[in-house]
């Protein structure tokens, strides 16, 4: 089993290398595996697709969900060349694979110029103290939509 | 100015209502505004698009970036019907708008059945203690790609 995980991590790292070499984006790659088969692939495409959310993990999750025709990655494993940033970690929790394997750490990423540790630090700050300040308003109007959702008979939970 | 922010929040809330009513997904909406103009719109489309990353903020950010042909939302403001989850907050930091306005809080979302507070709690746990456990391997191989990135002459930083 250990060998299997190493082989899948190697595939994710290979995607990182290829995406970097072809100038699609940063040096990150990820794959999604189900029952021993690769069902999703991704590499960072932020700069080439002009999409700040196109991190390798998000691209791989979207690719796998499209292939599996599901918004859940039940029984899947995600392999990524680097420890996920907060955005990707959030995406992983919403997609719900059963496990994640990563190669480089977030400290390795920071040393290479990708400092998502600052985002982790921002999470602990109050809204208005953040580098991107956050303000609240119109809560009552928005709450009415939540109330409508809760009483919606044909809603699809996720 | 306060009135302007309320009006844009109302537009985000309206998208939340419409997306829910049309069964595109959960009761969440967001818009991106630049120089007083709406440049991006989104509502939750997780269930209809079978994409767990299709939260309102991510959809709005991708829409705005496509329209502005940029992976950065410089000088933009994001308005969202609910306080962003960790995935969306991460996406916001990578997109770098200048501010965020939200209506409902994450506690309101949890009360309506959308408990992303558990993701915030997971962030503080060690890798293998998480509900989706995370394991490391193949670090040296992945580090070589980072080293190649750092010496890449034609790289595009982001």
């Amino acid at each position: 089993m250990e060998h299997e995980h190493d082989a899948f991590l190697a595939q994710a790292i290979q995607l990182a290398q290829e995406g970097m070499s072809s100038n699609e984006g940063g040096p990150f790659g990820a794959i999604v595996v189900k029952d021993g088969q690769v069902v999703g692939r991704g590499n960072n495409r932020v700069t080439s697709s002009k999409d700040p959310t196109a991190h390798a993990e998000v691209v791989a999750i979207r690719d796998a969900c499209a292939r599996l025709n599901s918004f859940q990655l039940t029984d899947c494993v995600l392999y990524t060349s680097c420890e996920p940033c907060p955005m990707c970690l959030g995406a992983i929790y919403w997609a719900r694979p059963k496990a994640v394997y990563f190669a480089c750490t977030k400290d390795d990423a920071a040393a290479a110029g990708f400092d998502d540790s600052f985002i982790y630090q921002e999470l602990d700050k109050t809204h208005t103290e953040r580098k991107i300040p956050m303000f609240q308003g119109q809560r009552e109007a928005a709450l009415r939509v939540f109330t409508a959702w809760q009483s919606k008979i044909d809603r699809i939970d996720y």
Side-chain angles (χ1 to χ4, degrees), chain A:
Chain A
M1 280 300 282
E2 199 58 45
H3 174 71
E4 179 187 279
H5 296 310
D6 284 345
F8 285 132
L9 276 172
Q11 286 191 46
I13 294 167
Q14 179 66 24
L15 288 177
Q17 175 68 52
E18 290 172 2
M20 175 180 70
S21 299
S22 61
N23 286 324
E24 289 192 3
F28 301 93
I31 61 172
V32 176
V33 173
K34 184 173 185 176
D35 300 331
Q37 302 294 317
V38 178
V39 294
R41 290 178 178 80
N43 57 268
N44 184 292
R45 294 174 195 167
V46 168
T47 52
S48 61
S49 67
K50 307 275 175 67
D51 178 358
T53 73
H55 284 201
E57 296 94 325
V58 167
V59 174
I61 287 170
R62 299 180 81 223
D63 186 46
C65 286
R67 187 160 292 116
L68 298 173
N69 196 34
S70 170
F71 56 82
Q72 295 286 271
L73 294 179
T74 310
D75 294 328
C76 294
V77 179
L78 179 85
Y79 295 87
T80 172
S81 65
C82 187
E83 187 175 355
C85 79
M87 174 181 74
C88 293
L89 196 62
I92 288 164
Y93 273 96
W94 294 121
R96 302 188 181 91
K98 65 179 177 181
V100 174
Y101 286 78
F102 63 95
C104 284
T105 68
K106 60 183 176 184
D107 293 328
D108 295 330
F114 301 97
D115 191 5
D116 34 89
S117 62
F118 101 91
I119 301 181
Y120 281 99
Q121 294 162 8
E122 290 283 300
L123 295 175
D124 293 327
K125 295 183 183 172
T126 60
H127 292 128
T128 52
E129 282 178 337
R130 292 175 177 167
K131 285 190 180 154
I132 300 175
M134 299 178 67
F135 307 98
Q136 194 187 15
Q138 295 293 303
R139 179 171 173 248
E140 293 305 320
L143 273 178
R144 284 195 285 276
V145 186
F146 279 177
T147 303
W149 170 261
Q150 288 179 286
S151 62
K152 183 175 166 66
I153 295 169
D154 63 342
R155 75 167 193 242
I156 302 171
D157 289 320
Y158 56 94

